[in-house]
Amino acid sequence: RVREAVVSTQSTGETADSALGEGKHDTVVSIPLTSSTEYKNIIKKCAISAGFNVVDLIPETIAAMVSADNTAVPDDGHTVVVRVGGSSMSVTLAKVLSGMYSLVDHMEEGIGGNLFDKSIGKFLCDDFNRKNRCKVEENPRSFSKVLRASKGAKHNLSTMNTSECNIESLFDGMDLISNLSRPRFETLIQNDLNKMKDAIQKFISKHSDIAINRVVLAGGTCKVPKVQSVIGQLFPNSPITNSSPDEVIAMGSASHAGMIGKYPSLSTKAESESDGTVSIPLCPTDIEVRVGDTVTPAIPKNTPLPCLKEIELPEGNVIVIEAGGKCIAKAEVPGSDDKSKVSLHLEILEDCSIEAIIKDSFTNERTSVHVPAPKGA
């Protein structure tokens, strides 16, 4: 396993050198969510030996969400990441709060696209045996050729309606010539799809009380249209993010690397605990804004800090910022009237101090408010 990792990272290093020039490249490496410390160290050493400067390791499912959220801060709620690779699948439930991902549950199964290869291979072997009165699967070399052709057909049928499966001199000088349509392919893999469906259903049944805001697909097998359809049926009320599922993990890792390159302090700012978790400052209570009798929720409790919010406020001269239902700041907007449109720029820093700017868009008046950090914060 170590040798495979070394060969893989060396090949990747050569690709990076050809694209970016020789030298050490700052790199984020994606790894399975349940990777052990030993596995992480092996992967990191292999990447370093291949010429990479590893700035961070990121779980594959988190990388998929980072890629999906690359252009905007995600809405608060719950996200399910379904990753189906070549030999395994995983389902991850994560809570999203102000751009922070918190793991709720995770499961893995030995179900992947290799099952599709075997189902197609069995069909091709049966067809070849029937025509030529032989048992091609009993010849290991010939059967490996069939599996390679099956894998190619699977990839083709992810984007096309038909795929040719031709193998010269497959068995005793006889050629395999076959044509596989997408409907036939989907019929052949139905039992494999049922296994995936049952595994996902079992997982989500444990969390039936949680509303799923979205589903992110990752892994090359999720390119298969029928796989996307089955997953979509399991989450009928949740939007499915299925853009380039075979690239989404790599894109998320690259995005994370770019963020660390832009803000180098991110890699050292978080304090890592002995169990591998990270300490992140959180907002200790609900922050609300009161204008007259109208209360507008601003920042919920346990939001990661620092945090920035822009809030449109209702009409009113006196604006009160409350923490846990208690007034912590009060300000008046001079000249506010019916034509005014008042907005609040609210920022809570890591020490829980608050900086606020109240702006009247009609008069262009600005009022600044500072709330010092509470004692002991």
Side-chain angles (χ1 to χ4, degrees):
R1 189 175 184 180
V2 174
R3 176 173 291 183
E4 291 176 356
V6 171
V7 172
S8 177
T9 50
Q10 286 178 342
S11 175
T12 305
E14 293 170 0
T15 302
D17 286 341
S18 65
L20 304 174
E22 294 187 0
K24 283 191 174 295
H25 309 293
D26 289 345
T27 306
V28 169
V29 181
S30 63
I31 55 175
L33 184 63
T34 56
S35 297
S36 65
T37 301
E38 181 184 8
Y39 180 80
K40 293 177 184 178
N41 291 335
I42 290 173
I43 292 299
K44 192 170 183 177
K45 287 179 181 178
C46 291
I48 292 173
S49 68
F52 292 105
N53 177 35
V54 180
V55 296
D56 201 5
L57 301 175
I58 183 172
E60 293 172 338
T61 52
I62 300 300
M65 287 192 286
V66 169
S67 177
D69 300 330
N70 193 31
T71 57
V73 176
D75 294 333
D76 292 348
H78 288 84
T79 296
V80 168
V81 179
V82 180
R83 183 197 62 81
V84 187
S87 59
S88 66
M89 70 170 290
S90 66
V91 185
T92 305
L93 175 62
K95 182 179 180 180
V96 182
L97 179 60
S98 296
M100 183 180 75
Y101 308 123
S102 302
L103 179 66
V104 177
D105 197 5
H106 175 80
M107 77 88 176
E108 293 185 6
E109 293 284 348
I111 303 172
N114 58 345
L115 296 182
F116 297 173
D117 301 341
K118 293 176 181 177
S119 295
I120 298 172
K122 184 178 184 305
F123 166 77
L124 295 178
C125 286
D126 290 346
D127 185 50
F128 185 84
N129 292 341
R130 179 177 52 82
K131 294 177 179 177
N132 299 285
R133 296 183 180 181
C134 61
K135 291 186 177 181
V136 67
E137 65 273 12
E138 293 182 354
N139 185 311
R141 186 176 180 181
S142 296
F143 188 59
S144 66
K145 290 182 180 180
V146 173
L147 289 181
R148 283 199 298 271
S150 300
K151 188 173 184 178
K154 177 186 66 178
H155 288 303
N156 291 338
L157 291 169
S158 296
T159 55
M160 298 186 297
N161 291 324
T162 59
S163 177
E164 292 184 354
C165 301
N166 301 330
I167 305 175
E168 293 184 2
S169 189
L170 174 61
F171 187 82
D172 286 347
M174 295 179 288
D175 301 337
L176 182 150
I177 301 175
S178 184
N179 193 43
L180 188 64
S181 66
R182 182 180 288 178
R184 172 60 66 89
F185 166 62
E186 293 176 350
T187 300
L188 293 173
I189 65 172
Q190 189 58 53
N191 289 336
D192 307 322
L193 291 171
N194 289 338
K195 292 178 182 178
M196 292 183 181
K197 183 177 180 179
D198 292 342
I200 298 173
Q201 277 184 325
K202 183 179 179 181
F203 178 84
I204 61 179
S205 65
K206 297 190 299 181
H207 306 285
S208 56
D209 57 329
I210 295 179
I212 306 301
N213 295 66
R214 62 172 178 170
V215 178
V216 178
L217 303 187
T221 303
C222 282
K223 287 185 67 177
V224 177
K226 191 63 174 179
V227 172
Q228 296 183 10
S229 175
V230 168
I231 296 174
Q233 292 170 8
L234 293 172
F235 300 94
N237 301 318
S238 305
I240 307 292
T241 302
N242 58 1
S243 177
S244 302
D246 57 331
E247 300 175 352
V248 68
I249 293 175
M251 293 296 291
S253 301
S255 178
H256 185 53
M259 189 63 67
I260 292 178
K262 187 175 181 181
Y263 304 103
S265 62
L266 286 177
S267 59
T268 57
K269 198 170 186 179
E271 180 183 352
S272 179
E273 304 292 348
S274 58
D275 62 354
T277 60
V278 175
S279 296
I280 298 175
L282 304 176
C283 183
T285 186
D286 293 322
I287 304 298
E288 299 172 327
V289 181
R290 181 183 295 275
V291 181
D293 295 329
T294 304
V295 177
T296 303
I299 299 174
K301 182 179 179 180
N302 293 332
T303 296
L305 300 180
C307 177
L308 177 66
K309 284 291 179 72
E310 297 283 348
I311 306 168
E312 295 293 334
L313 300 177
E315 297 176 7
N317 298 68
V318 180
I319 297 170
V320 178
I321 300 176
E322 298 180 346
K326 296 180 180 179
C327 173
I328 58 173
K330 181 184 291 187
E332 184 174 344
V333 181
S336 179
D337 56 27
D338 292 344
K339 297 181 181 180
S340 297
K341 185 177 181 181
V342 181
S343 61
L344 174 66
H345 173 97
L346 185 66
E347 183 175 7
I348 303 183
L349 306 180
E350 290 179 335
D351 62 356
C352 296
S353 62
I354 297 176
E355 301 291 341
I357 299 176
I358 304 168
K359 180 181 178 181
D360 187 327
S361 60
F362 183 70
T363 63
N364 208 29
E365 292 280 350
R366 291 176 178 240
T367 303
S368 297
V369 178
H370 172 73
V371 181
K375 295 181 180 180

